[in-house]
Amino acid sequence: MGAITAVQLLSGLAQLTLSARILGPEAFGVLAVIVAVAVLIHGLLATPGGETVTTFVTRAVAEERPQEASRILRFTMAVSLGLSLIAYALIAVVVLTASSLLGIEDAHRDLALMYGVVGIFLATRTESLAVLRLSDRVPLGLAITLAAVLVRVALLGLVWVRGGGMFEVVLAHIAGVVVNGAGMLVAATVSAPRAGIRGFLGSSSLKVPPDVARFHIAVFGRSTFSTLAYHTDTLLVALFTGTAGTADVGLYRAARQITDTTHYPFHPLRDGVQLQYSRQWYSGQGGALRRTSLLFSLVSFASAAVLFGLLAFFHQAITWFLLGEEFAGSAPLVLIMICGAFALNSISALTVLPAAIGRFRPLLAAEAGGLTVLVGAIVWLVPLRGAEGAAWANTAYYSVIALILIPCVVSILRQTRRIGRKPHGADAKAHRGLHIPPSGSSE
């Protein structure tokens, strides 16, 4: 997973560099609004099932119920794909009837409709990656990711050399997404039996245990809050700055993308430790879980200190190198936003603990609290400080999420002292739920 993340990180930086230099601040701001609208609508309906697969397929396989594991995977993928199709239909309606209200000019409607297909091809990506982790076939995912990156970057390079514009940039991005999404889905289907998921294509049943359905509904809520936070800021900045502030939108979004890439190095750490948490929790290894959390907490904090310390010191040089002189105004925004990014990523090894044991309320509370602070701060600060105000709102968002999650994580770690080893095999069904302490079984 670390290699996949490294490729995604380098790809994101290369895509940002090429797109910014091809388009310039104003056109980049227009594209940012188009992306925000498409991804926002997809995100409001999307229910990424990677955490559901990691947590509950792991449980089903550990308790020797391969058919249940298959139904869980089938259920999460069907929900994700179905909702992505509904989302695209909604994008088409919005773009064709109310694009001006969202800041999309008539000349850019076709681009918005084109970009909307991205969500369909990425609908099952998180579930596919979860299957590859469970089947120990992450190198296959790396190969697919690398192929997608090469396609996207090569096409963007061609667009730059030949003097293309926004239309060609969007096409290059879509091509990379098609390779990635389709390739991951095929790889996951082939790898499912190796992960203990039997009969994935042999049935159409979508029946899953009630706790799985409840958890997945909660994932939907968390994803909705996260998507709103991730793209509402761009739309609100565009709204409050008006057409004269398109360059401000471009500067802010470019700074956001630089800061967002700093989250990538922590993805493999979270993905790997989440799987380990699930296995230890469901097998009653409370002591091992505490030791795992301590070790990886130290790793995440030390890594965050080094990474964000370097970025704070070299933020101007990095911004100039990636974006060029036209985006010099993005550098101060990067310096502001890395404060919130550090606050969350320094505890990244702990943020996945609630999901790993099937608890969703803390995640919903954190995302809802962060979103509330983000929107309030943007409404207050952007009219006064422009893009700088949006940067402070962004750092407040991540800081609030960290502050809300910490007490929950501490509570779970205390409860690990009470969990015991539960039975497996034929007797597991009768004892399901005993591995979760009585005080939190419904969370």
Side-chain angles (χ1 to χ4, degrees):
M1 288 303 298
I4 291 179
T5 300
V7 170
Q8 290 175 329
L9 172 61
L10 295 175
S11 169
L13 293 176
Q15 180 181 331
L16 172 61
T17 297
L18 291 171
S19 298
R21 294 176 186 274
I22 291 169
L23 300 175
E26 290 193 10
F28 191 84
V30 172
L31 181 59
V33 173
I34 291 174
V35 171
V37 170
V39 180
L40 177 62
I41 294 176
H42 268 293
L44 290 176
L45 292 176
T47 312
E51 288 182 329
T52 305
V53 171
T54 298
T55 300
F56 292 103
V57 168
T58 298
R59 183 183 73 179
V61 171
E63 296 177 352
E64 300 178 6
R65 297 193 304 275
Q67 294 303 317
E68 180 180 304
S70 178
R71 289 195 300 272
I72 292 171
L73 178 60
R74 196 180 304 118
F75 166 78
T76 56
M77 284 192 168
V79 170
S80 293
L81 185 57
L83 289 176
S84 70
L85 294 173
I86 296 173
Y88 183 77
L90 183 58
I91 289 173
V93 171
V94 169
V95 168
L96 295 175
T97 62
S99 58
S100 59
L101 297 177
L102 299 172
I104 298 176
E105 298 178 1
D106 292 345
H108 299 135
R109 283 183 176 180
D110 290 343
L111 289 177
L113 292 173
M114 287 171 52
Y115 194 87
V117 304
V118 166
I120 297 175
F121 285 99
L122 291 180
T124 59
R125 186 176 182 277
T126 64
E127 294 91 340
S128 298
L129 276 174
V131 172
L132 293 180
R133 289 198 302 271
L134 292 171
S135 61
D136 294 324
R137 283 189 170 178
V138 174
L140 182 56
L142 173 62
I144 295 168
T145 302
L146 184 59
V149 166
L150 291 176
V151 168
R152 183 184 298 116
V153 173
L155 290 177
L156 283 173
L158 184 62
V159 172
W160 188 19
V161 170
R162 302 195 62 176
M166 198 180 307
F167 178 81
E168 291 80 9
V169 169
V170 171
L171 279 181
H173 185 68
I174 292 174
V177 166
V178 170
V179 173
N180 193 307
M184 287 291 186
L185 180 58
V186 172
T189 302
V190 172
S191 302
R194 183 169 175 173
I197 306 170
R198 309 293 181 185
F200 173 61
L201 296 179
S203 172
S204 59
S205 174
L206 302 178
K207 184 178 180 181
V208 296
D211 59 340
V212 176
R214 289 194 300 269
F215 184 87
H216 205 59
I217 291 171
V219 170
F220 171 79
R222 181 193 180 191
S223 175
T224 298
F225 286 132
S226 180
T227 300
L228 283 170
Y230 196 78
H231 294 285
T232 298
D233 57 349
T234 301
L235 297 178
L236 288 176
V237 173
L239 174 65
F240 286 118
T241 58
T243 55
T246 303
D248 277 352
V249 178
L251 292 174
Y252 170 71
R253 193 64 190 183
R256 267 281 318 264
Q257 288 190 244
I258 290 177
T259 309
D260 289 345
T261 58
T262 62
H263 296 277
Y264 279 99
F266 299 91
H267 289 178
L269 183 148
R270 290 199 303 268
D271 292 338
V273 78
Q274 180 177 344
L275 181 59
Q276 191 68 10
Y277 286 155
S278 292
R279 286 172 173 167
Q280 291 171 343
W281 178 269
Y282 290 119
S283 60
Q285 301 177 53
L289 192 153
R290 291 192 298 276
R291 290 190 294 272
T292 299
S293 66
L294 176 60
L295 172 62
F296 284 96
S297 294
L298 294 174
V299 171
S300 62
F301 181 83
S303 301
V306 172
L307 174 61
F308 292 105
L310 290 173
L311 183 55
F313 189 79
F314 293 107
H315 70 283
Q316 288 183 322
I318 292 173
T319 303
W320 181 87
F321 175 76
L322 292 176
L323 304 175
E325 294 182 1
E326 289 184 284
F327 286 83
S330 294
L333 308 183
V334 171
L335 185 60
I336 293 170
M337 286 190 279
I338 61 176
C339 299
F342 170 76
L344 185 61
N345 285 302
S346 64
I347 62 167
S348 59
L350 298 175
T351 59
V352 295
L353 182 54
I357 66 171
R359 300 191 181 182
F360 56 82
R361 290 179 184 173
L363 305 176
L364 284 176
E367 290 290 348
L371 176 61
T372 301
V373 170
L374 174 69
V375 173
I378 286 178
V379 172
W380 173 35
L381 295 174
V382 170
L384 300 175
R385 308 289 293 272
E388 181 183 338
W392 282 113
N394 178 270
T395 209
Y397 163 71
Y398 285 116
S399 299
V400 168
I401 290 177
L403 289 173
I404 293 175
L405 284 177
I406 287 174
C408 169
V409 169
V410 171
S411 175
I412 292 174
L413 291 175
R414 288 176 177 172
Q415 292 176 31
T416 59
R417 299 182 182 280
R418 303 201 305 271
I419 64 174
R421 185 173 300 277
K422 67 184 183 62
H424 293 270
D427 295 330
K429 187 174 181 179
H431 292 270
R432 181 183 298 180
L434 295 181
H435 54 279
I436 299 178
S439 61
S441 60
S442 62
E443 290 189 46

